[in-house]
């Protein structure tokens, strides 16, 4: 596959993920965060199953492989489930547009978490963190230095997604990506089902939210991940991150067009700064050719 076609696949992935924030916002009017994510994750696991079957057959008798895969899947599922529930709570209050941009700061948080594992923090990351703080201030802090509860949940969500990335990095090296994703979706779906039982959704509520739940499960979880895996095989990481980071922009566009969400001038500047911070955090240092 040529790089141009792979970039288009990644662009489609970012679009699917961005519009998932719209689906989350719409579904929050009918079902609770645990119900939404329980069904969504289980649908995602079901969609990924056909793609994972070749790897499952390949390693069916490899005990060490499955020990690593199950351990990683459970740990990743715990982080993913917690991050997704807090994100759903935040999007329900703050909207799809702000949700996309605030969530995206996990890319800035990851290098600081990696610092505690012995990795150095690059100068570009310090700059991105400063810009992100200013952007978050403009985006979330209101008069009287107050912050909306939804924005707080989204910040917690960003921290949890950063932790999720760190866990994947530590546990996913000995497991095929699709198998790990299948197991984490399955784990997150089962755990969220416990909260779903407490929410006691009615059939009428599920019926009214079936389309956004199906979109988030089949497209955002299942198809989105698969396209990402395929696309990143043919695109340099720095370019791939740039294209995938457009997720937050699509979330804002989708929120404006579909949900009629409106951000004021201050919030728009905040969004621009957060987006710039995300891109700066992913700038790869140029290696010397000598």
């Amino acid at each position: 596959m040529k790089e141009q076609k792979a970039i288009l696949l990644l662009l489609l992935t970012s679009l699917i993920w961005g519009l998932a924030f719209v689906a989350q916002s719409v579904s929050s009017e009918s079902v609770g965060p645990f119900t939404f994510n329980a069904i969504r994750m289980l649908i995602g696991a079901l969609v990924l199953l056909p793609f994972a079957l070749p790897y499952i057959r390949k390693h069916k008798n490899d005990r060490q492989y499955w020990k690593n895969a199950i351990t990683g899947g459970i740990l990743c599922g715990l982080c993913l489930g917690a991050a997704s529930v807090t994100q759903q709570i935040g999007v329900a209050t703050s909207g799809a547009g702000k949700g996309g941009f605030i969530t995206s700061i996990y890319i800035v948080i990851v290098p600081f978490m990696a610092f505690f594992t012995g990795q150095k923090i690059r100068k570009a990351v310090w700059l991105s963190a400063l810009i992100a703080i200013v952007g978050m201030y403009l985006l979330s802090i209101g008069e009287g230095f107050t912050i909306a509860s939804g924005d707080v949940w989204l910040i917690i969500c960003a921290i949890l997604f950063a932790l999720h990335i760190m866990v994947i990095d530590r546990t996913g090296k000995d497991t095929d990506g699709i198998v790990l994703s299948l197991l984490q979706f399955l784990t997150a779906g089962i755990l969220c089902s416990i909260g779903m039982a407490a929410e006691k959704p009615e059939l009428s509520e599920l019926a009214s939210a079936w389309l956004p739940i199906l979109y988030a499960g089949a497209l955002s979880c299942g198809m989105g991940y698969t396209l990402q895996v395929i696309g990143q095989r043919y695109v340099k990481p720095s370019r791939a991150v740039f294209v995938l980071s457009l997720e937050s922009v699509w979330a804002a566009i989708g929120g404006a067009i579909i949900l009629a969400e409106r951000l004021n001038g201050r919030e728009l500047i905040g969004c621009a700064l957060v987006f710039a911070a995300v891109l700066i955090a992913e700038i790869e240092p140029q290696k010397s050719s000598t």
Side-chain angles (χ1 to χ4, degrees):
M1 180 184 294
K2 293 183 178 180
E3 186 179 35
Q4 291 87 343
K5 291 184 178 180
I7 288 176
L8 289 177
L9 288 182
L10 294 178
L11 183 62
L12 177 58
T13 301
S14 71
L15 175 62
I16 291 172
W17 285 348
L19 294 183
F21 284 93
V22 177
Q24 289 177 249
S25 182
V26 172
S27 66
S28 67
E29 299 175 1
S30 303
V31 297
F34 287 100
T35 298
F36 174 81
N37 282 294
I39 302 174
R40 169 195 188 184
M41 296 297 176
L42 293 176
I43 290 175
L46 186 62
V47 171
L48 277 182
L49 182 58
F51 299 96
L53 281 176
Y55 301 98
I56 293 174
R57 295 192 186 100
K58 178 181 178 181
H59 299 285
K60 63 180 180 180
N61 297 320
D62 190 339
R63 292 186 178 181
Q64 186 60 45
Y65 176 89
W66 285 109
K67 180 180 178 181
N68 294 334
I70 292 173
T71 300
I74 291 174
L75 293 175
C76 291
L78 285 168
C79 295
L80 179 63
S84 298
V85 168
T86 52
Q87 183 184 65
Q88 181 69 3
I89 297 172
V91 169
T93 304
S94 296
K98 289 179 69 175
F101 280 100
I102 295 177
T103 298
S104 69
I105 66 168
Y106 78 86
I107 294 176
V108 179
I109 298 173
V110 166
F112 288 93
M113 286 189 172
F115 174 77
F116 294 99
T117 65
Q119 298 183 32
K120 294 183 178 180
I121 300 176
R122 296 180 289 109
K123 293 181 180 179
V125 174
W126 286 108
L127 175 60
S128 70
L130 179 61
I131 295 174
I133 290 172
V134 176
M136 288 293 296
Y137 177 85
L138 295 175
L139 189 58
S140 302
I141 305 299
E143 295 182 3
F145 206 72
T146 58
I147 182 171
S149 60
D151 293 353
V152 173
W153 282 109
L154 289 169
I155 293 172
I156 295 173
C157 152
I159 295 172
L160 289 170
F161 270 125
L163 180 61
H164 177 241
I165 295 295
M166 295 298 298
V167 172
I168 289 177
D169 182 64
R170 301 286 289 185
T171 64
K173 295 178 181 178
D174 300 319
T175 307
D176 296 293
I178 291 181
V179 173
L180 181 64
S181 190
L182 170 66
L183 292 173
Q184 73 168 354
F185 285 153
L186 187 60
T187 299
I190 292 172
L191 292 175
C192 288
S193 294
I194 299 173
M196 176 179 172
E199 289 176 347
K200 299 178 180 179
E202 297 181 0
L203 288 177
S204 59
E205 295 172 337
L206 294 174
S208 63
W210 74 268
L211 184 57
I213 292 176
L214 181 62
Y215 177 92
L219 293 182
S220 180
C221 289
M223 183 178 177
Y225 176 80
T226 305
L227 290 176
Q228 180 194 17
V229 170
I230 295 172
Q232 284 196 221
R233 290 178 181 175
Y234 307 97
V235 180
K236 293 180 180 179
S238 58
R239 290 187 179 182
V241 168
F242 175 82
V243 177
L244 292 174
S245 67
L246 293 174
E247 168 190 5
S248 57
V249 178
W250 292 123
I253 293 173
I257 295 176
I258 301 174
L259 304 178
E261 293 180 355
R262 294 292 181 268
L263 298 175
N264 59 38
R266 173 191 173 102
E267 292 172 332
L268 287 173
I269 294 174
C271 288
L273 289 175
V274 169
F275 185 61
V278 168
L279 296 183
I280 291 173
E282 291 301 320
I283 292 177
E284 295 289 342
Q286 295 296 322
K287 294 182 180 180
S288 174
S289 58
T290 59

